[in-house]
Amino acid sequence: MPSVTSAAGLIHLGMDASKNTIVVGVLMPGEEVPVIDRIWNEEGSVRHLVGRFGDPAGLRACYEAGPCGFELHRLLALMGVACDVVAPSLIPRRAGERVKTGKRDASRLARLHRAGELTAIRVPAEAEEAVRDLVRVRAALLADRKRTQQRITAMLMPHGRTWRGTYWTAAHEQGSPRSGSASLRWLPRSRITARRWTPASLSWTRSRTSWRSGRPGRRWRLR
């Protein structure tokens, strides 16, 4: 797409972001059909795209919330481009419309954004997003540990190795494996496997201030 200069009115950019590329629908003032372009999903390519339109204050960009996160939004905001991250479930769609391609999505986003029919979501601050990621990782590790413990228990039960007390406690690990008792002393690998995924091994240090309260930093330990 050739370089263009800012015209009267706003230029709307509908962006369909994926891991490697971004399909951009450029809707110029007074036009009804967006011009489709494709760029690499990297900072240099995004800066080059924005630079082709002159004043970034005349641009309005949007893209769907998804696995690519909010880095594109932060980059555009840093460059002075107003950008909305829209909720995919609230995008108006025609009845029976099932085919999704990057070009179609970018073109539709540009048109709907200019018409004011898209619903933007709140973009979290970087520190808040880091806390969210940590909570999700902790939940995933707890689920992995539980599945590992269940597999070990299910493997031992057909062989008469059952524990009469509470599973996965200090007593369970140190008890005597007499008369079919499923102590973990004779199965050291199970102890290693179960502990390998414990979320207590993760820690996060807030270096200076709390992301929400502004209080001095403290050390967080997941248990």
Side-chain angles (χ1 to χ4, degrees), residues 95 158 166 177 198 212 216:
T166 303
T198 176
R212 176 170 294 178

Side-chain angles (χ1 to χ4, degrees), residues 67-103:
C68 291
F70 302 106
E71 291 304 310
L72 178 58
H73 174 276
R74 296 187 181 112
L75 174 59
L76 291 171
L78 187 63
M79 299 171 62
V81 178
C83 178
D84 289 330
V85 182
V86 301
S89 60
L90 300 180
I91 297 177
R93 302 184 188 277
R94 296 177 182 176
E97 185 179 17
R98 302 184 185 277
V99 178
K100 280 179 60 66
T101 65
K103 292 182 178 180

Side-chain angles (χ1 to χ4, degrees), residues 15 17 24 40 54 61 80 84 89 109 115 120 125 133 135 152 168-169 176 221-222:
M15 313 179 83
V24 185
W40 292 109
D84 289 330
S89 60
L109 285 173
D133 291 342
V135 171
I152 294 174
W168 308 104
T169 60
S176 174
R221 191 77 174 177
L222 296 183

Side-chain angles (χ1 to χ4, degrees), residues 7-101:
L10 299 174
I11 302 173
H12 289 266
L13 307 177
M15 313 179 83
D16 183 76
S18 61
K19 180 182 70 173
N20 296 321
T21 62
I22 302 174
V23 181
V24 185
V26 182
L27 188 58
M28 303 298 295
E31 299 291 334
E32 295 298 329
V33 180
V35 178
I36 302 299
D37 195 10
R38 184 186 297 269
I39 63 174
W40 292 109
N41 191 353
E42 58 186 20
E43 181 177 346
S45 297
V46 175
R47 288 187 178 275
H48 179 69
L49 173 72
V50 173
R52 291 154 71 176
F53 297 99
D55 184 10
L59 299 177
R60 296 294 183 269
C62 69
Y63 68 96
E64 294 183 29
C68 291
F70 302 106
E71 291 304 310
L72 178 58
H73 174 276
R74 296 187 181 112
L75 174 59
L76 291 171
L78 187 63
M79 299 171 62
V81 178
C83 178
D84 289 330
V85 182
V86 301
S89 60
L90 300 180
I91 297 177
R93 302 184 188 277
R94 296 177 182 176
E97 185 179 17
R98 302 184 185 277
V99 178
K100 280 179 60 66
T101 65

Side-chain angles (χ1 to χ4, degrees), residues 73-195:
H73 174 276
R74 296 187 181 112
L75 174 59
L76 291 171
L78 187 63
M79 299 171 62
V81 178
C83 178
D84 289 330
V85 182
V86 301
S89 60
L90 300 180
I91 297 177
R93 302 184 188 277
R94 296 177 182 176
E97 185 179 17
R98 302 184 185 277
V99 178
K100 280 179 60 66
T101 65
K103 292 182 178 180
R104 285 190 180 188
D105 289 347
S107 178
R108 182 173 64 247
L109 285 173
R111 293 195 305 267
L112 293 175
H113 196 229
R114 185 170 71 176
E117 297 184 14
L118 297 178
T119 302
I121 66 172
R122 173 182 170 273
V123 177
E126 291 187 64
E128 184 179 355
E129 187 178 11
V131 173
R132 290 183 181 181
D133 291 342
L134 189 67
V135 171
R136 293 189 183 109
V137 169
R138 180 183 185 276
L141 291 176
L142 284 173
D144 287 344
R145 184 179 66 173
K146 183 176 181 179
R147 281 193 294 268
T148 300
Q149 292 173 340
Q150 289 174 338
R151 290 190 187 107
I152 294 174
T153 302
M155 179 190 70
L156 296 176
M157 190 174 297
H159 302 284
R161 297 284 183 173
T162 58
W163 181 254
R164 303 303 178 187
T166 303
Y167 280 96
W168 308 104
T169 60
H172 185 198
E173 294 187 4
Q174 300 300 327
S176 174
R178 62 181 182 277
S179 66
S181 178
S183 165
L184 297 184
R185 177 180 296 179
W186 63 276
L187 193 61
R189 289 295 301 175
S190 67
R191 183 159 57 243
I192 295 173
T193 304
R195 285 180 173 175

